[in-house]
Amino acid sequence: YTLLELDKSDINYFLDNKTFDKNLKLKIINTILNLQEKYKEKYLFFRLNTRSPKDILETDDNLEILDEDSSKTKMDKKIKQLNVLKISNYEDIIYLLNSSSRTKTDMLDYMSSNSEDKLYLVFTKWNQILGNYTEYRCCIVDKKPIGICLFKPEYYSLYTTVPVEIILVFLYQVIKKVPYDTYVVDVYVKNNQCYLIEINPLTKETDLFSLDYDDVINSDSLIVTL
């Protein structure tokens, strides 16, 4: 991941002008160009370190995921929705930040907070996981793996299995390096290897899919579910 730190003056300028000042704009453009050259890919994935702008994914009625859709149809629609998160230039980033309530809320919260936590623009290579690999949401509580489930289980067959041992080996490596006690880790498994997607806070508002927040927080043993 490549990070560009935002200070409060950067955020204040953005909230007032819906774009960044010339200096930060140039840094962002150069970062995009350098990463495109590094990865030999046009598209990158972008988010804030707090949350991604994924709340704008379902703006197209034709891509609305319906309960009666088959698991394949649901996955196909979600893959098409995710394309909006591909960025290839500065204008794409500005569109995402101005269209997302999640990222705007995070910016406003940061402006009003006295916390020492920092806010960053985060870039990495675009990797189409959904539809290619199975994604899992994992809960770490007090530095211990407590919950593992499918990410968006409605997209998968009931015959799907959870490679618990492979995921646990990876999670224990994550726990050694992450300076937090309780959080959510999203991973995918490819060729019997586990890979990190992202790390997010674990709160009552976090979507835990087939896991229950109270069960996870109060459990002393591992809970695994589809």
Side-chain angles (χ1 to χ4, degrees):
Y1 293 91
T2 299
L3 282 66
L4 292 180
E5 183 178 347
L6 296 175
D7 61 31
K8 291 194 174 181
S9 64
D10 294 324
I11 298 169
N12 191 55
Y13 187 96
F14 177 84
L15 293 174
D16 287 342
N17 299 280
K18 297 187 176 181
T19 189
F20 292 112
D21 67 29
K22 292 182 180 179
N23 289 334
L24 183 53
K25 178 179 178 179
L26 184 60
K27 286 182 181 179
I28 294 171
I29 291 172
N30 286 334
T31 297
I32 292 172
L33 292 174
N34 289 337
L35 290 175
Q36 287 172 328
E37 175 63 24
K38 174 183 177 180
Y39 296 131
K40 306 301 180 186
E41 298 282 353
K42 176 181 179 181
Y43 292 107
L44 304 171
F45 174 75
F46 163 79
R47 60 169 290 168
L48 295 184
N49 61 305
T50 48
R51 291 189 292 180
S52 73
K54 68 180 182 180
D55 53 316
I56 70 172
L57 293 180
E58 299 178 8
T59 56
D60 186 340
D61 290 340
N62 293 323
L63 296 181
E64 181 182 1
I65 297 173
L66 307 175
D67 290 341
E68 59 267 26
D69 287 339
S70 67
S71 57
K72 183 181 184 304
T73 298
K74 289 177 179 177
M75 183 174 288
D76 289 344
K77 286 183 176 180
K78 178 56 69 177
I79 290 171
K80 291 177 180 178
Q81 289 176 3
L82 288 171
N83 285 335
V84 76
L85 294 180
K86 288 182 178 180
I87 66 103
S88 62
N89 53 55
Y90 176 78
E91 287 72 24
D92 290 342
I93 291 171
I94 296 305
Y95 167 74
L96 290 175
L97 291 177
N98 282 312
S99 302
S100 169
S101 297
R102 283 160 55 98
T103 54
K104 183 177 181 180
T105 297
D106 290 349
M107 286 183 174
L108 290 171
D109 288 346
Y110 180 76
M111 292 293 288
S112 61
S113 171
N114 293 321
S115 170
E116 294 184 359
D117 290 342
K118 296 180 180 180
L119 197 63
Y120 297 90
L121 304 178
V122 181
F123 304 85
T124 191
K125 181 179 179 181
W126 176 263
N127 187 359
Q128 182 65 62
I129 297 167
L130 190 62
N132 295 328
Y133 311 105
T134 304
E135 185 175 345
Y136 304 91
R137 174 147 288 183
C138 310
C139 300
I140 307 299
V141 179
D142 294 331
K143 293 187 176 294
K144 180 180 178 182
I146 291 296
I148 301 174
C149 71
L150 286 172
F151 184 94
K152 298 286 186 182
E154 64 268 27
Y155 300 151
Y156 300 100
S157 163
L158 293 176
Y159 298 103
T160 302
T161 59
V162 180
V164 177
E165 291 185 4
I166 293 173
I167 294 174
L168 283 177
V169 169
F170 182 80
L171 291 180
Y172 281 117
Q173 296 178 52
V174 171
I175 290 169
K176 292 178 182 177
K177 298 179 180 180
V178 174
Y180 302 109
D181 294 337
T182 300
Y183 49 92
V184 166
V185 183
D186 291 339
V187 302
Y188 70 97
V189 175
K190 174 185 176 184
N191 298 329
N192 292 324
Q193 292 289 324
C194 193
Y195 297 88
L196 175 69
I197 300 173
E198 61 182 10
I199 295 173
N200 287 297
L202 173 56
T203 69
K204 286 189 175 181
E205 288 71 39
T206 304
D207 192 343
L208 297 184
F209 306 113
S210 53
L211 293 169
D212 179 79
Y213 175 81
D214 289 332
D215 289 345
V216 167
I217 290 297
N218 295 312
S219 179
D220 291 325
S221 57
L222 181 65
I223 304 170
V224 179
T225 177
L226 296 179

